[in-house]
Amino acid sequence: WLVVARAPADDTITDVTNTNQVTADTNTTTTTTTTDSTTTDTTLATTVVVQQNDQQAITSSSRSFTERFGSHSSDTNFENIELSRYLMTDAMSEQADKLITQGQNTGQDANTFLSVESTVTGVTLTDYSDGATGATVEVAVRQKKTVGQQAATYSNETARLTLKKVGGSWKVDSFRWL
């Protein structure tokens, strides 16, 4: 991946030094310290090039996808899956469609709130070699589950993802909880 960030030419950075005054009275002796204030305006135009190697891109895609795909709420109507589609291959998108259909058909008691929040705690590349167009990763996740008004429960889970390089980007081709 190649990311280029450029600050617009009209960005202004202002450096300000504050004025401080200290006065101490002891009997008849007074000490005063004053620091002058200066302001400097500087206009910067910079270009920053950030290159991400394949391993970093795989890890980043896996982390982002797992947190979004593994987090859901009965109040959001599968929004988490829709928001992660840009990270999916066509095959994974079909798997996601089946999951949505299954969830809609199963339906949950309308009065029961369900929420699962997934936070990635680690990503391990289990199958990858330089120049490859496919990879397998295992993602460690800490999940917080809330049902109705009950106290939240916590668990540690692991997901296995396979990724494919599609048009220069790493996309999730399959996902399953272990």
Side-chain angles (χ1 to χ4, degrees):
W1 288 16
L2 178 63
V3 179
V4 178
R6 182 173 178 93
D10 63 342
D11 279 0
T12 302
I13 297 174
T14 303
D15 181 18
V16 177
T17 305
N18 292 325
T19 301
N20 297 319
Q21 209 172 37
V22 178
T23 303
D25 290 327
T26 307
N27 294 335
T28 57
T29 306
T30 301
T31 304
T32 303
T33 306
T34 303
T35 305
D36 293 326
S37 176
T38 57
T39 301
T40 306
D41 288 336
T42 307
T43 301
L44 295 178
T46 56
T47 300
V48 179
V49 177
V50 178
Q51 288 185 330
Q52 197 175 40
N53 69 30
D54 281 340
Q55 290 181 15
Q56 291 168 328
I58 291 166
T59 299
S60 177
S61 290
S62 298
R63 176 180 297 276
S64 181
F65 181 83
T66 302
E67 284 191 348
R68 289 181 183 176
F69 198 75
S71 299
H72 52 85
S73 167
S74 57
D75 291 347
T76 62
N77 196 28
F78 304 100
E79 182 180 75
N80 60 309
I81 293 174
E82 296 302 329
L83 291 173
S84 57
R85 288 215 188 255
Y86 77 98
L87 293 168
M88 299 180 200
T89 63
D90 290 341
M92 183 64 213
S93 191
E94 288 176 19
Q95 184 180 344
D97 289 340
K98 288 177 186 176
L99 183 66
I100 291 171
T101 300
Q102 178 185 12
Q104 289 171 338
N105 289 338
T106 303
Q108 185 180 342
D109 180 359
N111 296 325
T112 303
F113 172 77
L114 170 66
S115 171
V116 178
E117 295 176 41
S118 295
T119 304
V120 171
T121 59
V123 177
T124 303
L125 228 56
T126 57
D127 184 18
Y128 172 78
S129 59
D130 286 338
T133 58
T136 303
V137 297
E138 287 191 3
V139 181
V141 177
R142 178 76 169 158
Q143 285 189 327
K144 174 185 174 186
K145 184 175 182 180
T146 306
V147 179
Q149 297 297 319
Q150 299 174 13
T153 59
Y154 296 85
S155 63
N156 295 316
E157 305 294 336
T158 302
R160 180 171 292 142
L161 290 74
T162 58
L163 292 94
K164 287 186 177 180
K165 195 167 191 177
V166 179
S169 298
W170 285 94
K171 298 192 180 249
V172 177
D173 195 47
S174 70
F175 175 95
R176 71 180 173 101
W177 292 107
L178 299 178

